[in-house]
Amino acid sequence: MSTTAAPAPGASRGDLARLERHWGETPSVRSWLTTVDHKRIGRRYLVTAGLFFALAGLSALAMRTQLARPEAGMLSPEEYNQLFTMHGTTMIFLFATPMLFGFGNVLVPLMIGSRDMAFPKLNALGYWVFLFSGLFMWASLPFGAAPNNGWFAYVPLSDEQHNPGLHMDVYSLGLLFLGVATTAGSINFIVTALKLRAPGMSLNRVPLFVWAIVATGFMVIFALPALNVDNAMLFLDRRFGTHFFDPEAGGNVLLWQHLFWIFGHPDVYIIVMPALGIVSAVLPAFTRRGVVGYPLVVLAIVSISIISFGVWVHHMFATGLPQLSYSFFSAASTIITIPSGIQIFAWLATMMLGRLVLRVPLLFVIGFIVTFVLGGLTGAMFALTAFDQQVTDSYFVVAHFHYVLIGGAVFPMLAGIYFWLPKITGRMYHEGLGRWAFWLVFVGMHVTFFPMHLYGLFGMPRRVYTYRSEAGWDGWNLVSTVGSYVLALGLLLVLVGVVHAIRRGRPAPPDPWGGDTLDWSTDSPPKPYNFPVLPRVRSLHPNWDGPSRESMATGAEPDRVLADGRRTLRTSELDGRRERAVEMPEPSFQPLVLALAMLTFFTALLLAWYPVAAGAAATVAVTLAVWLWPPRRPDTEVGVSA
Amino acid sequence: MAMLGGVLALTGCAGGAPSALDPAGTGAGRVADLWWVLFWISMAVFAEVMVLLVWALVFRRRRDARVRHGQPLRFVAIAGAGIPLVILVTVYALGLRDLVALGDGPGPEATTIEVTGHRWWWEVRVPGVAGATANELHIPVGEKVRIRLRTADVLHSFWVPQLMPKTDLIAGEVRETWLQTDRAGTYRGQCAEYCGTQHAHMAFLVVAEPRREFDAWLSQLGSPAARPQTDAQRRGQEAFEQGSCAGCHTIRGTGADGRIGPDLSDVGSRWSIGAGAVSNDGGHLGGWIANSQTVKPGNFMPPQPVDAQRLPDLIAYLQSLT
Amino acid sequence: MSGSMTAATGTEALTTEMPVGRSTGWWGMVMFVATEATLFACLLGSYFYLRFQYGPTWPPPGITEPTLLRPLVMTAVLLPSSLPVIWAEHGIRRGERWRLRAGLATTLVLGATFLALQASEYTEKLREFTMTTNAYGSLFYVITGFHGLHVLIGLTMISWLLAASLRGGSFGSHRHDRVRNVAIYWHFVDVVWAAILFTIYLSPRL
Ligand code: HEA
Ligand code: HEA
Ligand code: CUA
Ligand SMILES: [Cu+2]
């Protein structure tokens, strides 16, 4: 894969050969199945999440086709209901988060000047679990047993009595399974960013993207358990007759909603936060200066991640809770817009002070600002309970969340794809093709979703598989459908652009944009060990400052080369002082085996083969025990006295 | 942007949509006013962002544009936090005022209507009145009417965009909302919480009428259904009572007292069949009875094996029930 | 600066786990425990939510208030079981392998006793109500069962440490990261029990 060999004056030829021996992987099935390289894993995350995006996007096209005309008969209600559920669930859980985790995986070690993630094997496990849980959920669709209860699966409609069959078992088990990957990935990001930063990268020199990923990681750690508990209780209610959500027997249906949204609201920031991080990473290269107000932006990131845990009830404004509680959650939801405002104006200021280089990534960032602000503004409207009660569960809400999800997450991802394509593949993309893609996506997006504000206000509820023409919604629905095809065409062009770049693109130099972070100081694509010499960071924009760059050139201390082994540097949490070199794990089959055992476990649970499930659980335990078994060393080395 | 506002206002009223921007009720009216405030504020904020963005695009793209390295923290803080804070405090206060107003239900002496959500139809009763009807409720003009909401199965949500924002029907609990309008007329409402296969066809109609007509509706609700007049209708009634229908449906004053499906005592005068699935005419009625699954797939009325000869009678009978 | 640099670059620093700052493993375990603790917080939160939505009588009619004797004995067994772990960890930091082995073995016995007591608690309760009786039953068995599962996992980890330490060449004054991580987990399992004791056994009496 390596195309250009950047001069690595800091490391001798011998060092490079040794690094290659310890880190290099020859292409083979075995290495494909066992790799722990964060770049390969990250790439897989990106491609797999892209595939799920295509699946969920095609489901959306089917839905839009059905809704183009009133009383259309293309889809039966059962089909439509499975499609919109799979669309929402996949977009949120199998596309948005994993896609951003893919970016994080590729970029975090590169941006902080490390050779891999803190737990590379765990990282590999995370990918396999993500892949398998996604397949687990989608495999149900051909059997007509896909989840069919909306992405938030409200009880009692999702319980056994009202929704028999496997549909919601697939949902609850699939999300529990996926949760393993998301949790593992988050812990990995946090620890990597805390412990593996290049020496000299104190907290105030950490790139904004890394801040965003770490904040995301923390949100996952404290939000996901609520979803897991919820789904575990749902599965127990459905399968084993417990009564958590059964009002007849002391349960409560609103418990589901509280737990779901205690997860669900932070989750929307889990999605948007890293995407905003991408924006902060793209802007400096195309404005020729750092993002304005670094400390303010960091503060905004941190405060969003905290406040996001205090607003969940705004998804329950129509359930008839006490007004006092509504007024509190309404206030919190209003306040949470402020950190977003700070970020938006920091980016605007950056653009107003820098010099704009209008390449495709910047186009998508501009598209992001336009779209996300509109979506954010409708969000701020919902924060007012009285208004929300009128538009909740109508297409107005559908408009809001596609504006923030597509504007706030997909546009930055597309910016990121064009931006880092040279780094990841070593090839440049075709600018003209990229511009066409941008305009189609941008126009298609607004033509699709803007009218939803209108017919939402005109009274069209969401999640209806059809509507009657008397209601007067037909014209705008047709507009939406046309828009969605334009949007799909634009996305197809993105795909064409990516394939074209990989096949035909010009070889990319290490730093095609003049980026400011360390990822641009490595080869395109980077060597398996990322940095021949681990940098010593001296500023927030290491690739722009001489001393940081020179630290990788002649005169580098041998302890930043670390060529005699598979090793990288561990530094202190706050100010990035070097602590010691750490040993990194070799490629291994264990992650794959463990993920397969888990897949067996969840499949067996789903199909009620409980003995098989027990066997699979035992396999999981044994694999973990072997994985973590301490290597045997001479007593003198481990240090025993008695 | 003003144009956009105009388009919204216009299309809101035209086309017969049950539009929240064409309010007829006290509750919806307040929210519509609130919406317009929010709309114009949002447009102003959006315009501010666009001006800055376009400015940058126009002036900062030139090759000779010199990069400036300042850190205008004060600008970011004021534009991103200061000004929004002022706006937000204001709209929050407005929102709170309306929240309180929406919560200000009618007094204990007000007329109460009990609505129970079923998959996928609405049962309507009035306390103290024996009968029931479905998918249609009447309210007296000018009065605040209490609506008591329950569900027989899963969650639903009671929404009449032109009259009142939503209130969910929560399993195991009772919720209340209210309706008030000064404009006589019919207002479309719809279930707004996903409730399964036929959530799409769970609409209803609110008929606002002068008190006198409302009282007539009440007394009709309490009295037996119209008696059959013609032979065909009589045969229809017989078929209804002897067939499977009576096991699920009530027709007041006859032997039919099933409780699974909607009370059909006034089915002939309903605005639709199947909670908004199709309009209420002989053809649709026949189709519904023969196989409602083709009309509203998944609904809980199984196809009925009614004799082809008896079907017209049955239709005639049901249509006579007004 | 240069002092810590030589400390970090010396051959010893490169090959051992001497305490120079927190290790990645430590952070990993702490984050894992944080997310697990949130999980229990959600479960206990659900308990209180259902209880307060339910009404005045709790436990619901037909189920008697939980008796305290056995749970208190269980507490007296489980909470102190952290002490041998601490003692063992301090021992291995000084290279005293026998303390590691003895401490772990003691904890193993205490933990297993706890599980045995829980089993007897269950046999008694199951005669009165089950997981499917009502929401109270569901909460009772799922919360305590989930905690019991954690005790079991903790015990598995401790046996695993014990096995590794019996083999030799695994742990010593320079390498004890895994011991420390298991210890953190075990303390967590203990502390959660205190919260469960309060929620399930004490709070209905308040
Ligand atoms: C990426 C995802 C994302 C993001 C970033 C947001 C951002 C916000 N969301 Fe949104 N939201 C969703 C995804 C997201 N949302 C989803 C998926 C749902 C529906 C789930 C479902 O039902 O299926 C939803 C639903 C939803 C609801 C419930 C609606 C309902 O069901 O009735 C509410 C209610 O308060 C809400 C509020 C907000 C607010 C206040 C913000 C704020 O964070 C927005 C902040 C940003 C700005 C405001 C713009 C920039 C700021 C300025 C330019 C400064 C000036 C601004 C002002 C003066 C206001 N959202
Ligand atoms: C990130 C989140 C995300 C994204 C990107 C989208 C994208 C789209 N959504 Fe999505 N949507 C949701 C999240 C998202 N949605 C959620 C959470 C719900 C709620 C579900 C619920 O109610 O439970 C929802 C609901 C929802 C509805 C309402 C359904 C209903 O209530 O009945 C509709 C209706 O039009 C819709 C349409 C679309 C369309 C047309 C797109 C388009 O943008 C899709 C365009 C994409 C494609 C057409 C794919 C084609 C791609 C290629 C051909 C090449 C690309 C391939 C690679 C890069 C490998 N969505
Ligand atoms: Cu009832 Cu939707
Ligand atoms: Cu939210």
Side-chain angles (χ1 to χ4, degrees), chain B residues 118 120 122 155-157 191-196 199 202:
Chain B
H118 295 258
W120 291 277
W122 303 87
L155 307 188
H156 305 275
S157 189
C191 175
E193 180 70 65
Y194 179 66
C195 50
H199 164 63
M202 189 165 165

Side-chain angles (χ1 to χ4, degrees), chain A residues 91-105:
Chain A
M91 284 293 190
I92 298 280
F93 292 106
L94 297 174
F95 157 63
T97 310
M99 187 66 129
L100 292 159
F101 271 32
F103 279 108
N105 251 308

Side-chain angles (χ1 to χ4, degrees), chain A residues 119 195 221-222 225 240-243 249-250 252 570 573 579-581 625 628-630 632-633 635 637-639 641-642, chain C residues 8 13-14 16 18 20-24 27 35 38 50 95 97 131-132 135 138 160 167 169 172-175 178:
Chain A
F119 309 112
K195 294 305 297 184
I221 284 193
F222 294 112
F240 298 108
T242 56
H243 298 285
N252 191 293
R570 199 182 89 191
E573 293 82 359
E579 285 174 354
R580 68 148 49 98
L628 293 168
W629 192 246
R632 184 170 202 163
R633 291 194 175 81
D635 274 0
E637 199 190 311
V638 297
S641 61
Chain C
L14 290 179
T16 69
M18 289 261 282
V20 188
R22 306 256 184 235
S23 70
T24 51
W27 277 104
T35 190
T38 317
L50 289 184
R97 202 155 55 194
M131 188 167 87
T132 58
S138 310
W160 174 90
R167 179 193 66 172
S173 58
H174 294 163
R175 296 201 169 259
R178 286 171 171 78

Side-chain angles (χ1 to χ4, degrees), chain A residues 256-412:
Chain A
W256 168 273
Q257 297 191 17
H258 282 293
L259 284 172
F260 188 91
W261 292 114
I262 285 174
F263 154 78
H265 186 84
D267 187 52
V268 307
Y269 294 100
I270 285 168
I271 290 169
V272 86
M273 191 78 85
L276 302 187
I278 294 182
V279 172
S280 294
V282 169
L283 267 181
F286 298 99
T287 56
R288 303 281 179 245
R289 57 153 297 155
V291 171
V292 165
Y294 175 86
L296 278 182
V297 175
V298 172
L299 191 70
I301 291 176
V302 173
S303 50
I304 288 187
S305 28
I306 295 169
I307 306 175
S308 71
F309 284 88
V311 303
W312 80 87
V313 167
H314 71 207
H315 296 272
M316 302 165 64
F317 274 163
T319 53
L321 300 182
Q323 280 198 357
L324 189 65
S325 126
Y326 281 160
S327 55
F328 168 78
F329 285 98
S330 167
S333 310
T334 326
I335 290 304
I336 203 168
T337 59
I338 286 184
S340 302
I342 289 182
Q343 292 194 68
I344 290 279
F345 283 97
W347 294 318
L348 285 171
T350 311
M351 294 175 72
M352 292 191 296
L353 296 180
R355 181 160 70 74
L356 300 190
V357 184
L358 209 56
R359 304 290 299 268
V360 177
L362 186 62
L363 278 179
F364 275 107
V365 167
I366 291 168
F368 150 78
I369 291 181
V370 176
T371 316
F372 178 71
V373 168
L374 280 172
L377 288 171
T378 51
M381 296 178 181
F382 296 152
L384 305 181
T385 314
F387 178 71
D388 182 78
Q389 289 176 340
Q390 183 65 304
V391 291
T392 184
D393 272 311
S394 79
Y395 262 89
F396 195 90
V397 170
V398 180
H400 159 70
F401 65 71
H402 284 91
Y403 265 74
V404 279
L405 283 166
I406 299 185
V410 177
F411 281 12

